[in-house]
């Protein structure tokens, strides 16, 4: 196997799962809002490609400083109106007051959006660290508490199996996730990672800390190794030496790179599946084929399309 030497477990609690349980897989997909009409068409094609896999939900990101607020709202509204898919809208604390975020949340609720991904958010361009907006929320816990009081939203949150870059310690990071759950979060989705054991150890620590909500692994197939290196530096994800070796000399060979990327992501997911994981969240980067192939490897097969075209 690519990741040889990584211990494999029957499931994340150490018990034994039958073959039937291992085959029950749910997926969700993350997209970012397109920035032009041409990109909007490509995005919709990607959504159309993945829709027959019957995802649990599809989420739409929200740019730093609220820079894509209107495009995010437009896209999740279109998904709600034109498809049978369940949309989830990202909402962040950055660049907005409480009143502004209340208005956005009310717009989502009135549009039939019942699932939000509540995040602190990345610092806006030109800032090195997060600073609460005057009149805004200090962080995601306050945002979750606020949303929970407004409406009965399903609320997903983020978590970091390799520790958030701003966390004082791994224990403090786990404790903050517990605070999110106590505030009303119903699901946690991890930052991307490459070593399955990193995720499994994180789940063990979280469960020992009293965190009971689902912790869904976030999977990022490698569409561009240079971008992965950049993303990893920003969020603190470790890039293993074996991954660097696999993508050496493939910058100008996209066909081979895609084959290797599919192999890596499939092996990662299959190891997690063998360990008992049944839910996967894919960061699609608005590209469908690679994610589709990994889902196929996990045993998913297309159902009738949920997208009107």
């Amino acid at each position: 196997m690519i990741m040889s030497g990584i211990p494999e477990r029957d499931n994340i609690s150490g018990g034994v799962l039958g073959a039937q349980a291992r085959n029950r897989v749910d997926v969700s997909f993350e997209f970012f809002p397109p920035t032009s009409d041409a990109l909007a068409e490509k995005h919709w094609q990607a959504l159309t490609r993945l829709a027959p896999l019957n995802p649990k939900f599809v989420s739409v990101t929200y740019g730093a400083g609220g820079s894509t607020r209107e495009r995010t709202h437009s896209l999740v509204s279109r998904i709600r109106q034109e498809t049978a898919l369940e949309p989830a809208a990202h909402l962040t604390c950055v660049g907005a007051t409480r009143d502004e975020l209340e208005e956005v949340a009310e717009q989502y609720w009135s549009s039939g959006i019942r699932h939000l991904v509540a995040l602190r958010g990345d610092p806006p361009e030109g800032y090195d660290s997060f600073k609460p907006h005057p009149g805004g929320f200090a962080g995601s816990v306050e945002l979750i508490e606020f949303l929970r009081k407004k409406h009965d939203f399903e609320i997903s949150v983020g978590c970091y199996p390799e520790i958030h870059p701003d966390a004082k310690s791994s224990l403090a990071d786990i404790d903050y996730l517990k605070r999110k759950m106590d505030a009303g979060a119903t699901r946690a989705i991890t930052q991307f990672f490459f070593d399955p054991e990193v995720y499994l150890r994180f789940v063990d620590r979280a469960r020992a800390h009293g965190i009971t909500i689902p912790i869904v692994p976030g999977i990022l197939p490698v569409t561009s190794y240079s971008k992965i290196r950049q993303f990893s530096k920003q969020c603190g994800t470790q890039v293993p030496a074996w991954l660097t070796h696999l993508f050496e000399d493939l910058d100008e060979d996209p066909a081979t790179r895609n084959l290797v990327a599919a192999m890596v992501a499939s092996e990662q997911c299959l190891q997690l599946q063998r360990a008992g994981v049944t839910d996967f969240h894919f960061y699609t980067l608005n590209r469908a084929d690679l994610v589709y192939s990994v889902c196929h490897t996990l045993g998913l097969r297309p159902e009738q399309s949920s997208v009107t075209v």
Side-chain angles (χ1 to χ4, degrees), residues 75-308:
L75 181 54
V76 295
S77 295
R78 183 184 180 188
I79 293 170
R80 167 57 71 213
Q81 294 165 8
E82 299 184 24
T83 81
L85 298 170
E86 183 65 29
H90 285 219
L91 194 61
T92 73
C93 302
V94 178
T97 66
R98 290 172 179 256
D99 289 344
E100 289 170 333
L101 288 172
E102 180 177 16
E103 180 181 356
V104 173
E106 292 293 344
Q107 286 179 341
Y108 282 136
W109 187 263
S110 63
S111 299
I113 310 302
R114 299 293 183 261
H115 187 172
L116 298 178
V117 181
L119 306 166
R120 188 199 70 179
D122 298 324
E125 188 174 354
Y127 291 82
D128 295 329
S129 60
F130 171 80
K131 296 186 183 302
H133 188 279
F137 294 104
S140 57
V141 169
E142 290 84 354
L143 175 59
I144 295 162
E145 291 173 338
F146 177 78
L147 293 172
R148 179 57 63 214
K149 291 176 182 177
K150 297 302 298 182
H151 294 290
D152 188 24
F153 285 111
E154 180 177 358
I155 301 176
S156 293
V157 297
C159 60
Y160 284 69
E162 294 178 271
I163 189 171
H164 191 287
D166 294 341
K168 295 180 180 179
S169 66
S170 59
L171 180 59
D173 206 22
I174 291 275
D175 184 65
Y176 197 69
L177 178 57
K178 176 67 160 53
R179 290 177 59 195
K180 291 181 187 180
M181 183 189 75
D182 293 342
T186 53
R187 173 191 294 101
I189 302 171
T190 77
Q191 183 56 267
F192 72 92
F193 59 93
F194 296 107
D195 182 346
E197 189 65 18
V198 165
Y199 165 82
L200 297 171
R201 288 195 299 264
F202 174 75
V203 172
D204 285 345
R205 294 198 305 273
R207 298 295 182 236
H209 204 71
I211 296 170
T212 58
I213 58 175
I215 301 174
V216 182
I219 307 298
L220 179 61
V222 182
T223 55
S224 166
Y225 180 71
S226 59
K227 286 184 179 180
I228 291 298
R229 295 289 301 185
Q230 179 185 351
F231 294 160
S232 298
K233 288 180 181 179
Q234 293 171 348
C235 66
T237 296
Q238 296 297 313
V239 179
W242 57 259
L243 188 71
T244 300
H245 177 69
L246 282 174
F247 285 94
E248 281 178 347
D249 304 322
L250 293 182
D251 289 344
E252 307 301 324
D253 188 353
T256 303
R257 185 176 67 241
N258 287 340
L259 289 171
V260 173
M263 176 182 65
V264 169
S266 294
E267 174 65 15
Q268 179 186 18
C269 290
L270 287 170
Q271 287 204 29
L272 291 170
Q273 187 183 30
R274 286 192 292 270
V277 177
T278 57
D279 287 79
F280 297 85
H281 184 74
F282 289 92
Y283 300 109
T284 70
L285 301 183
N286 290 7
R287 298 181 182 185
D289 288 344
L290 182 52
V291 172
Y292 191 97
S293 68
V294 177
C295 290
H296 182 88
T297 302
L298 284 170
L300 290 176
R301 298 296 181 265
E303 300 180 7
Q304 185 176 357
S305 178
S306 302
V307 176
T308 302

Side-chain angles (χ1 to χ4, degrees), residues 1-8 271:
M1 293 182 180
I2 300 167
M3 296 169 236
S4 60
I6 298 173
E8 296 184 7
Q271 287 204 29

Side-chain angles (χ1 to χ4, degrees), residues 27-31 43-44 46-47 50-51 54-61 75-76 79-80 83-90 113 115 117 281-282 284 307:
V27 295
S28 53
F29 304 124
E30 179 182 291
F31 296 89
H43 170 274
W44 203 251
L47 190 71
L50 293 172
N54 193 27
K56 183 176 289 187
F57 62 90
V58 292
S59 66
V60 182
T61 64
L75 181 54
V76 295
I79 293 170
R80 167 57 71 213
T83 81
L85 298 170
E86 183 65 29
H90 285 219
I113 310 302
H115 187 172
V117 181
H281 184 74
F282 289 92
T284 70
V307 176

